[in-house]
Amino acid sequence: MASTDLARPRRAAVAVVLAGAAVAVTLGVLGSVSNGPRELPAWVFSSTQSLKAWLASAVAALVVVQLVSALWMFGKLPGVGAVPRAVKIVHRVSGALAFVVSLPVAFYCLYGFGFDTATPRTLAHSLAGCLFYGAFTSKMLALRSARLPGWTVPVLGGTVLTVFVLVWALSALRWFQLTGIAL
Ligand code: HEM
């Protein structure tokens, strides 16, 4: 392979990672200039925290669907054969839904609290929240780039998933531990 052919996938990978980093940094900056805490509507829930914890948990459930359908598509699910078309559709629909449902939660976080460095947990949650949308952006771009090596999409998908589990564990899980499972 000529050196320019080798450089192309590297350039594409760098572009995809930089685009994700730009999104994550922009969210972090937005969070830093947001002067919370602010009261926001809780709709039918007892508090905004509860609303966020339930919506975040709905996203977590969709993320599990993402994982199982991705493993199936990559032939890593033991005991199942060819990939039916429905699996691809389920993966796309659950991914789009997870993204859409996460948006109001992240908006409540960014606008309601901002980037919180007060405790290691809030700092880690704020960082992971920004990183989640960065990794998601990189994954979406990687799906549309034919130049990237085959492992790029599974690695980025795994990163999105792992970071979301972290976001959820540092926020919704802790909320349910404090208050119990209630609306
Ligand atoms: C995937 C995106 C996100 C999800 C699903 C999410 C979810 C949650 C949930 C469920 C809570 C607990 C309820 C509460 O205390 O209000 C929370 C709290 C919080 N979030 Fe997020 N969040 C996301 C992104 C972000 C981002 C981007 C930031 C800031 C840059 C952020 C900052 C905070 C802060 C400061 C709190 C309060 C923590 C506390 O005092 O316990 N979150 N988030």
Side-chain angles (χ1 to χ4, degrees), residues 49 52 105 109-110 113 115-116 121 125 132 167 171 174:
Q49 287 95 329
K52 287 164 71 178
V105 189
C109 286
L110 279 169
F113 289 110
F115 197 100
D116 191 339
R121 183 185 57 79
H125 172 78
F132 169 73
V167 169
S171 57
R174 176 192 166 263

Side-chain angles (χ1 to χ4, degrees), residues 23-172:
V23 168
V25 170
T26 305
L27 289 177
V29 171
L30 277 178
S32 306
V33 296
S34 152
N35 25 359
R38 284 190 182 89
E39 274 301 311
L40 289 165
W43 309 104
V44 296
F45 293 85
S46 55
S47 64
T48 51
Q49 287 95 329
S50 172
L51 162 72
K52 287 164 71 178
W54 280 103
L55 286 183
S57 302
V59 177
L62 289 163
V63 162
V64 174
V65 176
Q66 286 277 286
L67 174 64
V68 174
S69 53
L71 287 174
W72 196 339
M73 286 192 295
F74 281 86
K76 302 286 178 202
L77 264 194
V80 295
V83 186
R85 209 176 115 68
V87 174
K88 291 182 186 177
I89 297 171
V90 165
H91 189 80
R92 279 193 177 181
V93 172
S94 58
L97 216 67
F99 176 69
V100 169
V101 176
S102 78
L103 290 178
V105 189
F107 171 76
Y108 265 47
C109 286
L110 279 169
Y111 185 70
F113 289 110
F115 197 100
D116 191 339
T117 56
T119 69
R121 183 185 57 79
T122 55
L123 171 63
H125 172 78
S126 300
L127 279 173
C130 297
L131 203 63
F132 169 73
Y133 288 104
F136 183 82
T137 304
S138 296
K139 192 207 158 187
M140 289 300 113
L141 291 174
L143 281 171
R144 269 140 202 90
S145 169
R147 290 180 186 171
L148 291 168
W151 50 262
T152 315
V153 169
V155 166
L156 288 173
T159 307
V160 174
L161 195 131
T162 309
V163 171
F164 186 80
V165 171
L166 205 64
V167 169
W168 178 83
L170 290 163
S171 57

